[in-house]
Amino acid sequence: MQDDSYDKFVYHLSQSDKRDLLYGAFMLCMSAVALFSLVIGFSNMRVNRKNSENMMEVMEMIATYIGSATQDEYEEIAKTLRNDLVFSEYGQDMENYIQYIPNTTDNCRTCMDAFPSQVYLIYTNTGQPYDLDLFEPGEKPNEDDYDSTTMSFGYDEISETSLHIAKMPGQHIGNATIHRKQGILSVQRMKSLFCDDCIREILGTVEHQLVEEVIIFDAAQKKFYPVDSGTVVIGDYTLQIEYDHGDYEIDIKYTKTEP
């Protein structure tokens, strides 16, 4: 290899030139990082400002509705507010609702240590549970001892969703029918019934589902299931869910094999 140290046509950088180049490259990188940080910060400021403006619009809308309501119009105004400010089946950004609405519940309806039944249908707007178990814990089912049919009913006035449950323990089967109308889910109501962790899990479960106002709850595993066509196995029971002419039919079957 030819040494060019003394070649007068080859120029070499001095130590000072090298330091200047390194310093220049360093400053260029730092400038790029600073510019990127400024762009990110500006973008976040715009998003926060937009969210604040949206919240202000909501508050102004509420104030306008309330200020214009007369005694005769109050119920109609309340219905309008409810339909404008709740989760519908088209969905919204759930985290915004969780963040901006204070949680006022003292006892979460799904966080109890023990439940008397294994599987429930729960109205998300009221927190009311309806157990689907055919037998109480500890019972040893015998077809000769159960020859009657028991019925129970439920209703959610916000979504106008009704529930009809029929149980035939002697045959080890039951049925639940969910009849829907408005399909509304109110996060504000949920904030007074469930803790924020359960609300997040419930909303994540019903997201993109047709039925949001009713949810299936596994009390033993503290797990939520959507009301959707298919099969759900919880404890000693198998739920077969089908959509039928606007209603959801849930066939309940006791599947535990007795020794």
Side-chain angles (χ1 to χ4, degrees):
M1 182 176 180
Q2 185 177 0
D3 187 1
D4 59 5
S5 300
Y6 300 100
D7 191 336
K8 63 181 180 179
F9 296 106
V10 177
Y11 296 93
H12 297 272
L13 295 175
S14 66
Q15 293 296 327
S16 177
D17 291 336
K18 291 179 180 179
R19 285 194 297 270
D20 290 341
L21 285 175
L22 289 174
Y23 178 76
F26 173 76
M27 292 303 296
L28 183 62
C29 291
M30 292 301 297
S31 298
V33 170
L35 180 60
F36 181 76
S37 299
L38 286 173
V39 171
I40 294 298
F42 181 71
S43 177
N44 289 338
M45 288 177 61
R46 289 187 61 186
V47 171
N48 292 335
R49 181 178 178 182
K50 181 64 176 177
N51 289 338
S52 298
E53 291 176 351
N54 290 340
M55 287 298 298
M56 183 62 67
E57 289 179 5
V58 171
M59 296 304 296
E60 289 176 353
M61 181 180 69
I62 294 174
T64 302
Y65 274 127
I66 295 176
S68 63
T70 65
Q71 187 67 28
D72 295 336
E73 297 171 336
Y74 182 78
E75 186 173 348
E76 189 63 32
I77 292 294
K79 288 182 179 179
T80 303
L81 276 173
R82 187 175 68 192
N83 282 280
D84 288 345
L85 298 178
V86 298
F87 259 92
S88 68
E89 57 191 17
Y90 300 104
Q92 294 288 343
D93 185 351
M94 70 176 70
E95 193 60 36
N96 283 345
Y97 284 90
I98 295 174
Q99 178 181 354
Y100 291 116
I101 300 176
N103 194 298
T104 59
T105 184
D106 293 325
N107 296 298
C108 177
R109 301 297 178 90
T110 53
C111 283
M112 294 191 302
D113 292 334
F115 288 83
S117 300
Q118 300 178 50
V119 53
Y120 292 87
L121 286 176
I122 296 180
Y123 276 128
T124 54
N125 292 321
T126 66
Q128 183 65 41
Y130 298 88
D131 75 274
L132 301 183
D133 288 23
L134 302 178
F135 306 100
E136 295 182 1
E139 285 186 330
K140 295 182 178 181
N142 186 315
E143 294 183 7
D144 296 333
D145 297 334
Y146 302 93
D147 57 359
S148 62
T149 298
T150 61
M151 293 187 178
S152 57
F153 303 88
Y155 182 72
D156 172 18
E157 62 180 6
I158 295 178
S159 63
E160 297 184 3
T161 298
S162 59
L163 175 64
H164 171 223
I165 301 174
K167 300 179 181 179
M168 292 155 280
Q171 302 178 44
H172 290 192
I173 60 173
N175 175 268
T177 301
I178 300 172
H179 180 66
R180 307 177 67 242
K181 284 191 176 180
Q182 296 192 51
I184 292 175
L185 184 155
S186 171
V187 177
Q188 184 168 348
R189 285 291 189 93
M190 293 179 69
K191 279 286 193 167
S192 65
L193 302 167
F194 307 97
C195 66
D196 284 346
D197 289 339
C198 286
I199 292 175
R200 284 188 178 91
E201 190 170 349
I202 291 171
L203 296 182
T205 300
V206 301
E207 188 175 14
H208 307 306
Q209 299 290 333
L210 179 61
V211 181
E212 295 178 325
E213 67 275 21
V214 183
I215 195 165
I216 300 170
F217 178 55
D218 180 344
Q221 301 298 323
K222 300 293 193 296
K223 187 174 181 180
F224 301 99
Y225 296 88
V227 176
D228 193 15
S229 297
T231 302
V232 178
V233 179
I234 298 176
D236 301 332
Y237 297 93
T238 297
L239 309 181
Q240 184 65 43
I241 309 170
E242 294 183 359
Y243 182 77
D244 183 22
H245 297 91
D247 298 335
Y248 273 87
E249 297 284 344
I250 303 177
D251 290 327
I252 309 159
K253 186 174 182 181
Y254 182 79
T255 54
K256 181 178 180 181
T257 303
E258 298 299 328

